Amino acid sequence: MSQETALGAALKSAVQTMSKKKQTYMIAEHIYRKYDVFKHFKPLAIGIDQDLIIALPQYDPTLIARVLANHCRRPRYIKSLARGGKRFDLNNRFKGEVSPEEQAIAQQHPSMQTNKPAPVNNATTDSENSHNSDEELVQN
């Protein structure tokens, strides 16, 4: 049984009249301002979605899950998982560790791949061009 105040009910009602996109943006903005673990992209504790739903009853749980999924797809978060180490809860307290399997998966993520295209070798193209011009001279 929740003890919702009149102000809390009014806020929830006002938020729900907004578009889902605006609500998602509002939730993300609130989470990044309030919780350092999000602001600093630290590895999040397993089950933090339930903690967020409890901490933010004025927001739709589905939209909270969407914001969390968006956060976890960001390259900066994936890099923190790839480094491994401790996981943190909403209060920035240690709560578990990134497993070696999770770390390996994060390291294989496309955002972690730094394969840059090979630079074009101008020396090869210059020698080919001079070789082609020599052939033209011989043919003339």
Side-chain angles (χ1 to χ4, degrees):
M1 184 171 127
S2 73
Q3 296 178 339
E4 191 171 42
T5 64
L7 183 60
L11 176 62
K12 187 173 187 175
S13 176
V15 166
Q16 290 175 346
T17 62
M18 301 167 78
S19 72
K20 299 289 185 198
K21 187 175 182 177
K22 283 184 181 179
Q23 287 181 57
T24 302
Y25 179 79
M26 179 187 284
I27 295 167
E29 191 174 85
H30 178 75
I31 287 173
Y32 282 100
R33 262 187 289 130
K34 187 170 182 177
Y35 301 109
D36 283 341
V37 292
F38 284 90
K39 197 182 310 180
H40 299 295
F41 291 87
K42 293 182 177 182
L44 300 172
I46 304 296
I48 203 162
D49 57 332
Q50 295 304 313
D51 295 341
L52 278 171
I53 290 168
I54 292 168
L56 305 170
Q58 68 271 31
Y59 299 117
D60 180 0
T62 306
L63 297 179
I64 292 172
R66 184 182 298 172
V67 169
L68 185 59
N70 290 343
H71 174 77
C72 292
R73 280 194 293 263
R74 295 183 75 176
R76 193 168 164 195
Y77 180 77
I78 293 168
K79 287 177 186 175
S80 75
L81 278 181
R83 282 191 296 269
K86 298 178 180 180
R87 289 181 171 276
F88 298 89
D89 66 6
L90 292 178
N91 297 318
N92 210 16
R93 291 190 202 122
F94 167 72
K95 192 173 181 183
E97 291 197 24
V98 176
S99 72
E101 295 83 21
E102 293 164 333
Q103 193 174 359
I105 291 168
Q107 289 170 347
Q108 296 302 316
H109 193 274
S111 67
M112 291 297 296
Q113 307 306 316
T114 57
N115 295 342
K116 295 180 181 174
V120 176
N121 188 350
N122 290 335
T124 305
T125 56
D126 289 342
S127 67
E128 288 174 359
N129 289 342
S130 64
H131 180 69
N132 289 342
S133 62
D134 291 341
E135 286 178 2
E136 291 174 5
L137 290 173
V138 171
Q139 288 177 356
N140 290 334

